[in-house]
Amino acid sequence: MIEARRLHILRAVADHRTVTAAAAALYLTPSAVSQQLAALEQETGHRLVERGAKGVRLTPAGEILLSHTNAVLAQLERAEAELAAYSSGAAGTVTVASFATGIAQVVAPAVARLAGSAPGIRLRVQDAEGDASLPMVLDRQVDVAVAVEYRGAPPADDPRLSHVPLYAEPFDAVVPVTHRLADTAEIPLADLAKDPWIGPYPGNPCHDVVVLACENAGFQPRLEHSSDDFRAVVALASADAGVALVPRSALRGMDLTGVVVRPVDGVAPTRRVFAAVRRGAEEHPLIRPVLEALGEAAGE
């Protein structure tokens, strides 16, 4: 009989690629993870992982078991959801991880909505970028992630996750008031090819959006200054340190003294925001109202 908790461990090892990283995500010791993997190999009668200089990878037998693992764990999530519905689980805490502007845009309004529509549900909110929040969902550290599509992100049909689209928003060009293009109505990205750039660090999903937009315009941005805080990005632009692309919602309420904000000429770079939960959990009586409240907030 294969134990479900060992399947969780197998998936964590597959996701994180090292026993140490999987152990940290699951709040276990590396030796405990290794012991559980050994027990799982004994239960299945197959070698499931191979250790190498670059970490751990699944064997062909491990890949077969992982494909079933995703289905089994999703079904267990559905079972928990039905049991919670049966016991009228109308009260409890749901943990949501979201990037900062996502918190302002949809999570905080969802908190207010739930206070009226589902007062028994309490949201616990954590600030986390999309590339961090999705692994947090898979590792059961949080229940819901509000994340941004980015290169390398789990696709919408990932068997481990259920995606709920929330909203899409364009990036606007932010340039110093003294910039040569400050008086233009729309700024072609190609005209910024020789400028110094300010942007998020690699790994931040917005970094991918900026770099991909510049690549599509025919150049690699010369990123001289890096910050994941868009207030800092705008402040640097106002100091004539460079140009930037910033999501439109991040500019709301910000001090824009010293910069001008212009739409991008042509097809604007866009970030697409979605909520994600472990597949099968979307019908949980605590999580479903949260997803609905996030969707309603996004539609306002």
Side-chain angles (χ1 to χ4, degrees):
M1 179 76 67
I2 298 174
E3 292 192 21
R5 63 192 177 95
R6 290 175 181 151
L7 295 180
H8 279 292
I9 290 172
L10 178 70
R11 187 162 78 179
V13 169
D15 287 342
H16 294 281
R17 300 298 181 186
T18 71
V19 168
T20 301
L26 297 173
Y27 300 102
L28 296 172
T29 64
S31 62
V33 169
S34 295
Q35 289 170 9
Q36 292 300 317
L37 285 175
L40 184 59
E41 289 181 330
Q42 186 173 6
E43 287 173 346
T44 60
H46 292 277
R47 187 179 182 186
L48 302 174
V49 297
E50 292 179 342
R51 292 169 173 81
K54 295 184 179 180
V56 175
R57 68 178 185 87
L58 299 188
T59 65
E63 294 287 356
I64 291 171
L65 183 57
L66 179 64
S67 67
H68 290 285
T69 291
N70 293 327
V72 168
L73 295 183
Q75 191 61 40
L76 287 174
E77 293 282 357
R78 295 186 188 98
E80 290 180 9
E82 288 191 20
L83 288 171
Y86 175 76
S87 61
S88 65
T93 299
V94 176
T95 305
V96 180
S98 172
F99 58 100
T101 50
I103 292 174
Q105 187 85 351
V106 293
V107 178
V111 171
R113 284 179 174 275
L114 289 168
S117 63
I121 298 177
R122 183 168 78 85
L123 289 192
R124 180 181 293 127
V125 182
Q126 298 183 20
D127 188 337
E129 292 297 338
D131 58 325
S133 63
L134 294 175
M136 291 168 72
V137 168
L138 291 170
D139 294 334
R140 305 181 70 87
Q141 297 173 11
V142 300
D143 302 302
V144 181
V146 175
V148 178
E149 291 181 4
Y150 61 96
R151 286 188 286 192
D157 61 353
D158 190 295
R160 303 168 298 171
L161 295 168
S162 286
H163 285 222
V164 179
L166 293 177
Y167 65 93
E169 64 172 329
F171 282 59
D172 289 324
V174 177
V175 301
V177 292
T178 57
H179 195 273
R180 63 189 183 280
L181 299 177
D183 293 331
T184 60
E186 296 182 337
I187 295 181
L189 281 185
D191 289 354
L192 301 176
K194 295 183 179 180
D195 286 89
W197 279 73
I198 312 157
Y201 284 101
N204 185 315
C206 288
H207 173 89
D208 286 347
V209 175
V210 171
V211 171
L212 184 59
C214 292
E215 288 175 352
N216 289 338
F219 69 97
Q220 283 282 339
R222 179 163 53 91
L223 284 162
E224 291 199 356
H225 310 283
S226 297
S227 175
D228 288 335
D229 186 335
F230 286 116
R231 290 170 298 181
V233 170
V234 170
L236 286 167
S238 70
D240 205 16
V243 301
L245 288 172
V246 178
R248 188 165 291 172
S249 66
L251 294 167
R252 292 175 187 161
M254 193 181 293
D255 181 6
L256 299 177
T257 304
V259 300
V260 296
V261 178
R262 296 288 185 263
V264 173
D265 184 34
V267 179
T270 301
R271 70 172 174 183
R272 290 173 172 79
V273 180
F274 62 93
V277 300
R278 291 180 295 278
R279 189 170 292 274
E282 61 273 16
E283 291 303 319
H284 192 286
L286 293 180
I287 292 177
R288 185 178 63 252
V290 173
L291 295 176
E292 291 173 350
L294 289 170
E296 291 167 1
E300 290 182 338

